[in-house]
């Protein structure tokens, strides 16, 4: 099942994509797609609906992030062996965790807006995980049962803010619009093995990243189990599980960074394609 939220920013309505690719409206069945409806029982009730009984949505409305009211937006750093190698970093002993502000969350096709002073903004295609059932002290064997769905995420990163402004990576990860999620939230029945998915990112049509979740240092199950030892994962929480090689800061002979007018397309196998145009923040001082 592919769940979506569509419509004007801040006024998104719930929907699903049927087997023919038609967007169907779910607002007669629920108010929104948030943690409150991501429990297995609630998803089972939605899955039991006949899509043909749901009204089709006309036109091509904006797609918002497929889950609303996100509590925590967590990210795992250096979680691909080949990405760690391109950055000259040692493999971590435990999952590296940093947080991305929820105010960075963006629709999958919304513009990415570079903040003032940005000269080193970068792309990162990632497999996203959305929690559906609260997780505290869960085992690796049980971890995947706490997932409501998977999605594509672009962990956009301003490398100077991230590494040279002192403090945590969060500074370079949390700029407004730096967290495109979607287009869909795909339920686990359609993702039999999260450790066997291809990931791809192009910039202006040129392939930059072309990897696989097979090269993750820590699996999705290991990440969830580890985080649940530290704090409770709540329904609606989002985890970006790391990026494969090919980021701009790792390009040779010189790094390549985003500039206004660039177009990024990102895809995780089976989870849909994002497309964002880059522009500079023109807000008045």
């Amino acid at each position: 099942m592919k769940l979506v939220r569509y419509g004007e920013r801040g006024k998104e309505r719930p929907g699903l994509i049927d087997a023919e690719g038609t967007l169907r409206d779910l607002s007669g069945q629920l108010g929104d797609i948030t943690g409150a409806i991501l429990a297995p029982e609630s998803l089972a009730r939605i899955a039991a609906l006949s899509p043909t009984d749901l009204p089709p949505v006309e036109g091509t409305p904006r797609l918002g992030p497929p889950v609303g009211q996100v509590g925590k937006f967590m990210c795992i750093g250096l979680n691909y062996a080949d990405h760690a190698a391109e950055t000259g970093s040692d493999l971590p002993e435990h999952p590296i965790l940093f947080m991305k502000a929820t105010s960075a969350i963006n629709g999958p096709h919304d513009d990415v807006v570079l903040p003032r002073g940005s000269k080193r903004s970068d792309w990162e295609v990632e497999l996203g995980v959305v929690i559906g059932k609260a997780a505290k002290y869960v085992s690796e064997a049980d971890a995947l049962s706490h997932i409501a769905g998977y999605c594509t995420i672009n962990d956009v990163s301003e490398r100077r803010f991230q590494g040279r402004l002192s403090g945590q990576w969060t500074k370079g990860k949390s700029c407004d619009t730096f967290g495109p999620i979607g287009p869909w939230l795909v339920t686990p029945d359609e993702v039999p093995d999260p450790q066997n998915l291809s990931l791809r990112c192009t910039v202006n049509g040129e392939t930059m990243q072309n990897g696989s979740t097979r090269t993750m240092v820590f699996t999705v199950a290991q990440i969830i189990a580890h985080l649940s030892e530290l704090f409770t994962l709540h329904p609606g929480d989002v985890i970006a599980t790391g990026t494969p090689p090919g980021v701009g800061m790792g390009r040779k002979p010189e790094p390549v960074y985003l500039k206004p007018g660039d177009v990024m397309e990102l895809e995780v196998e089976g989870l849909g394609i994002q497309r964002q145009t880059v522009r500079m923040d023109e807000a008045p001082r």
Side-chain angles (χ1 to χ4, degrees), residues 25-38:
D25 181 62
L26 273 173
S27 57
Q29 309 294 323
L30 60 145
D32 198 359
I33 297 171
T34 65
I37 69 97
L38 292 177

Side-chain angles (χ1 to χ4, degrees), residues 182-193:
W184 314 311
L185 178 64
V186 181
T187 49
D189 56 294
E190 296 193 19
V191 186
D193 184 3

Side-chain angles (χ1 to χ4, degrees), residues 13-86:
R13 298 162 64 94
L16 61 78
I17 305 295
D18 69 18
E20 285 70 47
T22 299
L23 172 57
R24 301 273 179 174
D25 181 62
L26 273 173
S27 57
Q29 309 294 323
L30 60 145
D32 198 359
I33 297 171
T34 65
I37 69 97
L38 292 177
E41 319 83 67
S42 300
L43 292 179
R45 285 194 293 270
I46 298 171
L49 299 171
S50 173
T52 56
D53 292 337
L54 301 171
V57 177
E58 301 297 329
T60 53
R62 168 189 174 269
L63 293 182
V67 60
Q69 300 179 25
V70 173
K72 295 190 286 293
F73 193 173
M74 299 159 283
C75 302
I76 306 301
L78 299 176
N79 195 36
Y80 283 70
D82 34 12
H83 171 55
E86 77 172 343

